[in-house]
Amino acid sequence: MIEEPLSDRTFEQYLAGELRVLNAHLARRRKRLSDLLAEERPFVDLHDDTAHLFDKEELARLASLLDETDRQALLLPMMIEVGGGEGEAALLCTGGVEEKAVSRVLGMDLACRGGRLLLYRRQLSALRLALKTATQYVYSLGE
Amino acid sequence: MPRLVKVRPTKIELIKLRRRLTLAKRIQKIVKDRLSILTMEFLHIAREIVASKQQTIDGASAGYAALALAAGYHGWIGLGKEFASSARGVAVEVGSRNVAGVRVPSFQSAQNGKEVLAYNLTDTSAYLDQAAAEWGKTLQAIIKLAELQRGLDLMGIEINRTKRIVNALEYMVIPELKATIKFLAMKFEERDREEKSRLKRVKVLLQRA
């Protein structure tokens, strides 16, 4: 049985749309933890023209784990890459501060390699429970 | 048997189909990853809802018990008078946060935990203060529960949608592309064989002539 070409075209359009929407929720510009702590309603603007609100209690908890220099260096939301090929997921590190924050939140020593901190399922679950609004997923097609 | 995609039987189309198959497989992988993340987040919210519901029920029980004591002291008519003059709305700050690509609402009480008692403090007892404090806590729990419940609904809708995409890719799109690629490859092989036999026939005819 031969399928009509219309559905094939529709499929291609749909796939292109699906890829576009997967990462539409990423922040336009990430903010420093120290700046967010000073805001009345801490939020970041997203690429889909919406805002992502941070939980104040969560930010205060995260700030209590870091010193002043790290608070100024930590950019939020932290990005968790999914589908990058290695392990379950990986936290994208721009410096050592993400590594320090996540290690303290999870209570275990984790090392950042090649700009990525590998997270296994249980670690990912624990991290998301602790930092619901301070982390975001990035979907990647990988290699 | 998977259906075939209607394409012209040319090598260019075969290359295009192979590219499309690679893309479909990559998207299938990423959508499956997303489904697993969404399921994990759904379970987190479901567990939080169980805890939040319990908190609401406990808070309401304590609130009713405290209210019963206050009613015993002041009488229902006295309480009614106090409440009639102190009625006020509940201010809730509404925003949204993004969980794995799903926009879920975020509700926060505008009072920020600092309750202002609107009834006359001189005419009323500590029983009523206790009841007000218990219901204030319960109200916070209800606001939290509303946020979680809506988040769970939205997450469920997104999981269903993603599941449909995964199934469509796994059981329709990828098998169709594979079947079409196989069909075209066989067609080209058959064409090659025909071409060879035709050339052989021509060679024999030329040798005879």
Side-chain angles (χ1 to χ4, degrees):
Chain A
M1 192 177 167
I2 305 286
E3 194 189 338
E4 287 300 310
L6 179 67
S7 66
D8 190 42
R9 260 206 317 275
T10 312
F11 159 69
E12 277 192 16
Q13 284 167 0
Y14 188 76
L15 282 189
E18 189 62 26
L19 266 183
R20 261 200 310 275
V21 299
L22 274 178
N23 283 327
H25 64 277
L26 295 183
R28 279 186 201 278
R29 194 179 64 85
R30 295 197 287 162
K31 289 183 181 175
R32 294 176 197 286
L33 174 59
S34 53
D35 294 341
L36 287 169
L37 285 168
E39 287 182 18
E40 181 67 27
R41 286 186 81 194
F43 74 98
V44 282
D45 287 320
L46 307 181
H47 279 288
D48 59 1
D49 293 329
T50 59
H52 171 78
L53 279 178
F54 289 95
D55 183 3
K56 278 184 170 181
E57 285 175 22
E58 193 182 303
L59 292 179
R61 208 169 48 242
L62 186 59
S64 69
L65 299 171
L66 302 168
D67 58 33
E68 190 52 42
T69 321
D70 291 336
R71 276 180 226 157
Q72 282 177 2
L74 183 62
L75 289 172
L76 293 179
M78 290 187 269
M79 299 293 176
I80 300 172
E81 188 187 45
V82 179
E86 291 178 82
E88 276 286 342
L91 187 95
L92 301 181
C93 306
T94 47
V97 65
E98 286 93 350
E99 180 187 320
K100 206 184 281 183
V102 172
S103 297
R104 285 180 187 168
V105 167
L106 297 180
M108 59 179 80
D109 284 333
L110 296 167
C112 194
R113 287 191 194 91
R116 282 176 170 74
L117 195 154
L118 288 187
L119 293 168
Y120 294 98
R121 177 49 68 100
R122 291 191 77 90
Q123 293 171 329
L124 178 65
S125 179
L127 182 68
R128 283 290 297 164
L129 270 177
L131 302 176
K132 268 183 227 137
T133 58
T135 52
Q136 264 191 344
Y137 291 106
V138 186
Y139 297 102
S140 150
L141 278 175
E143 293 306 310
Chain B
M1 191 185 159
R3 294 184 299 179
L4 296 179
V5 182
K6 195 176 177 184
V7 286
R8 281 175 295 126
T10 61
K11 296 238 167 168
I12 290 288
E13 288 295 341
L14 183 63
I15 291 165
K16 276 186 192 171
L17 282 177
R18 282 186 178 146
R19 271 191 207 148
R20 206 179 294 170
L21 178 64
T22 314
L23 177 72
K25 280 183 176 173
R26 289 172 82 180
I27 288 173
Q28 185 199 19
K29 184 187 172 296
I30 199 166
V31 174
K32 267 189 172 177
D33 284 343
R34 184 166 189 245
L35 183 62
S36 116
I37 293 289
L38 286 172
T39 311
M40 187 185 81
E41 296 290 341
F42 182 86
L43 291 175
H44 281 175
I45 297 178
R47 280 189 204 110
E48 275 187 78
I49 281 185
V50 172
S52 185
K53 271 190 179 164
Q54 192 56 53
Q55 204 181 340
T56 309
I57 291 167
D58 291 346
S61 307
Y64 277 121
L67 196 63
L69 275 176
Y73 188 82
H74 294 281
W76 285 111
I77 296 171
L79 277 189
K81 271 184 202 164
E82 287 297 334
F83 292 152
S85 59
S86 65
R88 62 195 169 100
V90 178
V92 177
E93 285 179 357
V94 181
S96 70
R97 59 192 176 90
N98 208 298
V99 181
V102 184
R103 256 181 82 194
V104 296
S106 166
F107 302 146
Q108 279 180 345
S109 169
Q111 272 87 17
N112 219 2
K114 294 167 199 157
E115 289 298 323
V116 181
L117 300 177
Y119 52 82
N120 189 348
L121 292 172
T122 53
D123 291 347
T124 53
S125 67
Y127 293 120
L128 190 57
D129 297 348
Q130 177 67 21
E134 291 293 348
W135 281 108
K137 275 191 267 177
T138 310
L139 191 61
Q140 297 296 324
I142 290 171
I143 293 169
K144 180 77 185 160
L145 185 61
E147 176 190 315
L148 290 169
Q149 191 67 55
R150 184 66 187 138
L152 191 81
D153 292 348
L154 292 169
M155 208 56 98
I157 291 167
E158 190 63 22
I159 286 176
N160 274 338
R161 187 182 152 272
T162 312
K163 254 187 195 168
R164 279 202 296 275
I165 297 169
V166 170
N167 286 341
L169 284 166
E170 196 167 337
Y171 299 111
M172 294 286 293
V173 175
I174 292 177
E176 279 173 17
L177 287 172
K178 279 184 179 167
T180 313
I181 287 169
K182 193 176 170 192
F183 171 74
L184 287 185
M186 283 165 69
K187 191 158 189 151
F188 292 141
E189 281 170 17
E190 185 58 30
R191 237 183 235 173
D192 283 348
R193 281 194 289 274
E194 270 177 20
E195 184 67 14
K196 270 182 195 166
S197 62
R198 194 178 64 80
L199 287 173
K200 275 184 187 171
R201 179 74 185 147
V202 169
K203 195 177 171 186
V204 169
L205 287 175
L206 284 173
Q207 277 172 349
R208 274 190 201 161

